[in-house]
Amino acid sequence: AQSVAQPEDQVNVAEGNPLTVKCTYSVSGNPYLFWYVQYPNRGLQFLLKYITGDNLVKGSYGFEAEFNKSQTSFHLKKPSALVSDSALYFCAVSLSGGYNKLIFGAGTRLAVHP
Amino acid sequence: GAVVSQHPSRVICKSGTSVKIECRSLDFQATTMFWYRQFPKQSLMLMATSNEGSKATYEQGVEKDKFLINHASLTLSTLTVTSAHPEDSSFYICSAREAGGAGELFFGEGSRLTVL
């Protein structure tokens, strides 16, 4: 079965420190992978995507993610966290490639402390 | 970036009534729109895929007569929750895919439905 796993319910980071939000996937074929952020009572905002090419993808607000095919992972990273980065982060994978319907992970709440 | 607007953002209704939620792509045409439901502190669950001019495709376990979806134009899809009950209370989010573009999905701000 195709799925996305975010093993951490919450990640706590001090402001200025690097952050990592983990994501692993299981999908047949070549995956399209996405990261979205959600602020309270808001919709999802697109951060970045991986389709093909360079394994390191740079996105909005200084975030980046690294596609690792052997580990089937797509971890989200940022070199220096901001308090304003505190939000709910979702990893998603497109079934069978392309921009078809997305399967979302359970979400990881990021809390950045001053 | 492209903008998707949902209306209303919040709605409270009595049990047994029907509620309509609109999803509009403001500056692009969307051949496909997706409707998701999100429970508190949980992920998004895809309810249905809406294609302009055709019937929506519902995910397993989603009652099509309960959640009516209409995609009458390239910029508007509507979700109607019929005979709403308290268990239908949730956060509903739509997303739209641009016709002829790179295919990226853009999400609305969500609509919070509370059924009393």
Side-chain angles (χ1 to χ4, degrees):
Chain A
Q2 308 192 66
S3 63
V4 177
Q6 293 180 243
E8 304 153 317
D9 290 336
Q10 180 155 331
V11 170
N12 296 298
V13 177
E15 187 175 29
N17 283 2
L19 69 87
T20 299
V21 183
K22 296 179 180 178
C23 172
T24 59
Y25 64 91
S26 173
V27 62
S28 59
N30 295 318
Y32 281 34
L33 296 158
F34 304 81
W35 275 102
Y36 289 88
V37 60
Q38 184 182 34
Y39 295 96
N41 295 309
R42 304 289 293 276
L44 274 66
Q45 295 180 31
F46 171 79
L47 283 178
L48 50 79
K49 66 179 182 286
Y50 171 82
I51 301 174
T52 187
D54 193 351
N55 289 344
L56 184 63
V57 179
K58 293 187 182 298
S60 305
Y61 312 119
F63 284 93
E64 58 187 29
E66 185 168 11
F67 172 65
N68 188 317
K69 189 173 183 178
S70 63
Q71 297 185 5
T72 62
S73 68
F74 189 57
H75 301 332
L76 181 70
K77 300 181 180 183
K78 187 173 182 180
S80 179
L82 300 172
V83 173
S84 58
D85 292 330
S86 299
L88 189 57
Y89 290 81
F90 289 101
C91 181
V93 63
S94 173
L95 296 179
S96 303
Y99 288 93
N100 296 314
K101 55 187 180 183
L102 298 179
I103 299 298
F104 286 86
T108 299
R109 187 163 301 280
L110 174 66
V112 182
H113 305 286
Chain B
V3 178
V4 175
S5 174
Q6 274 186 249
H7 178 79
S9 57
R10 292 176 181 269
V11 57
I12 300 173
C13 70
K14 293 182 179 180
S15 185
T17 61
S18 295
V19 175
K20 180 185 287 186
I21 299 170
E22 294 185 346
C23 178
R24 294 182 183 272
S25 56
L26 296 185
D27 50 2
F28 67 99
Q29 292 185 328
T31 51
T32 305
M33 290 185 174
F34 302 88
W35 285 95
Y36 292 85
R37 182 174 180 176
Q38 186 180 28
F39 292 99
K41 299 184 179 181
Q42 295 190 28
S43 187
L44 283 74
M45 292 179 54
L46 180 65
M47 299 174 64
T49 302
S50 166
N51 291 297
E52 187 267 338
S54 63
K55 291 183 179 180
T57 302
Y58 290 81
E59 295 300 303
Q60 191 173 10
V62 178
E63 299 177 59
K64 62 180 180 180
D65 294 329
K66 173 74 171 177
F67 299 99
L68 300 179
I69 292 173
N70 183 278
H71 193 162
S73 78
L74 287 172
T75 59
L76 174 64
S77 177
T78 60
L79 167 67
T80 301
V81 182
T82 62
S83 186
H85 292 283
E87 58 264 31
D88 298 325
S89 299
S90 191
F91 195 55
Y92 294 88
I93 303 175
C94 73
S95 68
R97 184 167 66 201
E98 185 175 7
E104 188 170 319
L105 294 180
F106 299 95
F107 284 80
E109 293 284 290
S111 299
R112 182 163 298 285
L113 170 63
T114 302
V115 184
L116 302 177

